[in-house]
Amino acid sequence: MAKKRKSRIPKSVKTVVRVFIILFILLVAYVGFHYYRRYAIQSEQIRQAQLEREQEAEKLLREKKAFIKKIGPIAREVDKSYGLLPSITVAQACLESNYGQSDLSQKYNNLFGVKGTNPNTSAVMTTKEYVKGKWITVKARFQIYDSYEASIRAHARLFQNGTTWNHQQYKHVLASKDYKTQAKALVTDSYATDPDYADKLINLIEQFDLEKYDK
């Protein structure tokens, strides 16, 4: 019986197959490299953006602490004569002046948004107020001070003397002996229009350990 002859693949076909395999490998390598390069670039961009955010956050925190360090001793010295808690005063200044970054505090040393009436000692500026359940933008005249200390002293006198229409306006504030009670009393005595004002002060005091100025 005659043996079957094995079919042989032509060399030209083998060459085509080899070329195809090589091209396929190169294509896969190219796609893989392109994807890896794009991934690496995106990862680096994300890392750089995160690093910038962290650096900006650290810078902002340093600025906040520097502002607190600047006004903390002033508040401690002034408030002891008025029965007020320096921790509350410092927290109010941080909140209301954006840590000394607001135009009102930078241009006119007004840390607490105190209004004024005399054109010679006040300036008109835009501000936001919480009225009838919503925030609105209004223009108002604000007092000008020579220094942060002058602003803090005027702030303390306001609580001691009350308003022109009610000298007992802030009696609950003056009667408070701890920062949580005094923060809530500011809302009770209608110092602030923001319904979350007390919570914001308390959070600031605890975040930056401002109670140390009360001791």
Coordinates of all heavy atoms in Angstrom, one line a residue, residues 78-79 82 84 151-161 174:
V78 N -8.4 92.5 75.6 CA -9.5 93.4 75.5 C -10.7 92.8 76.2 O -11.4 93.4 77.0 CB -9.9 93.7 74.1 CG1 -11.2 94.5 74.0 CG2 -8.8 94.6 73.4
D79 N -11.0 91.6 75.9 CA -12.3 90.9 76.4 C -12.3 90.7 77.9 O -13.4 90.6 78.5 CB -12.5 89.6 75.7 CG -12.9 89.8 74.2 OD1 -13.2 90.9 73.9 OD2 -12.9 88.8 73.5
Y82 N -14.5 93.1 79.7 CA -15.9 93.2 79.2 C -16.7 92.0 79.5 O -17.9 91.9 79.1 CB -16.0 93.5 77.7 CG -15.4 94.9 77.4 CD1 -14.1 95.1 77.1 CD2 -16.2 96.0 77.4 CE1 -13.5 96.3 76.7 CE2 -15.7 97.3 77.0 CZ -14.4 97.4 76.7 OH -13.9 98.7 76.4
L84 N -16.4 89.1 78.2 CA -16.6 88.3 77.0 C -15.5 87.2 76.9 O -14.5 87.3 77.5 CB -16.5 89.2 75.8 CG -17.5 90.3 75.7 CD1 -17.2 91.2 74.5 CD2 -18.9 89.7 75.5
S151 N -11.0 97.8 66.3 CA -12.2 97.0 65.9 C -12.7 96.1 67.0 O -13.9 96.0 67.3 CB -11.9 96.2 64.6 OG -13.0 95.5 64.2
I152 N -11.7 95.4 67.6 CA -12.1 94.5 68.7 C -12.6 95.2 69.9 O -13.6 94.7 70.6 CB -10.8 93.6 69.1 CG1 -10.5 92.7 67.9 CG2 -11.1 92.8 70.3 CD1 -9.2 91.9 68.1
R153 N -12.1 96.3 70.2 CA -12.6 97.1 71.4 C -14.0 97.6 71.1 O -14.9 97.6 72.0 CB -11.6 98.3 71.7 CG -10.3 97.9 72.4 CD -9.6 99.1 72.9 NE -8.3 98.6 73.5 CZ -8.3 98.1 74.8 NH1 -9.3 98.0 75.5 NH2 -7.1 97.7 75.2
A154 N -14.2 98.1 69.9 CA -15.6 98.6 69.6 C -16.6 97.4 69.6 O -17.7 97.6 70.0 CB -15.5 99.2 68.2
H155 N -16.1 96.3 69.2 CA -16.9 95.1 69.2 C -17.3 94.7 70.7 O -18.5 94.4 71.0 CB -16.1 93.9 68.6 CG -16.8 92.6 68.5 ND1 -16.5 91.6 69.4 CD2 -17.8 92.1 67.7 CE1 -17.3 90.5 69.2 NE2 -18.1 90.8 68.1
A156 N -16.3 94.8 71.6 CA -16.6 94.5 73.0 C -17.5 95.5 73.6 O -18.4 95.1 74.4 CB -15.3 94.4 73.7
R157 N -17.3 96.8 73.3 CA -18.2 97.8 73.8 C -19.7 97.6 73.4 O -20.6 97.9 74.1 CB -17.7 99.2 73.4 CG -16.5 99.6 74.2 CD -16.2 101.1 74.0 NE -16.0 101.5 72.6 CZ -14.8 101.5 72.1 NH1 -13.7 101.2 72.8 NH2 -14.6 101.9 70.8
L158 N -19.8 97.1 72.1 CA -21.2 96.9 71.6 C -21.9 95.9 72.5 O -23.1 96.2 72.9 CB -21.1 96.3 70.2 CG -22.4 95.8 69.6 CD1 -23.4 97.0 69.4 CD2 -22.2 95.1 68.3
F159 N -21.3 94.9 73.0 CA -22.0 93.9 73.8 C -22.2 94.5 75.2 O -23.2 94.2 75.8 CB -21.1 92.6 73.9 CG -21.1 91.8 72.6 CD1 -19.9 91.6 71.9 CD2 -22.3 91.3 72.1 CE1 -19.9 90.9 70.8 CE2 -22.3 90.6 70.9 CZ -21.1 90.4 70.2
Q160 N -21.3 95.3 75.7 CA -21.5 95.8 77.0 C -22.5 96.9 77.0 O -23.4 96.9 78.0 CB -20.1 96.4 77.5 CG -20.2 96.9 79.0 CD -18.9 97.5 79.4 OE1 -18.4 98.5 78.9 NE2 -18.3 96.8 80.4
N161 N -22.6 97.7 76.1 CA -23.5 98.9 76.0 C -24.8 98.6 75.4 O -25.8 99.3 75.6 CB -22.8 100.1 75.3 CG -21.6 100.5 76.0 OD1 -21.4 100.4 77.2 ND2 -20.6 101.1 75.2
L174 N -23.6 88.3 77.7 CA -22.7 88.7 78.8 C -22.9 87.7 80.0 O -21.9 87.5 80.7 CB -23.1 90.1 79.2 CG -22.8 91.2 78.2 CD1 -23.4 92.5 78.7 CD2 -21.3 91.3 78.0

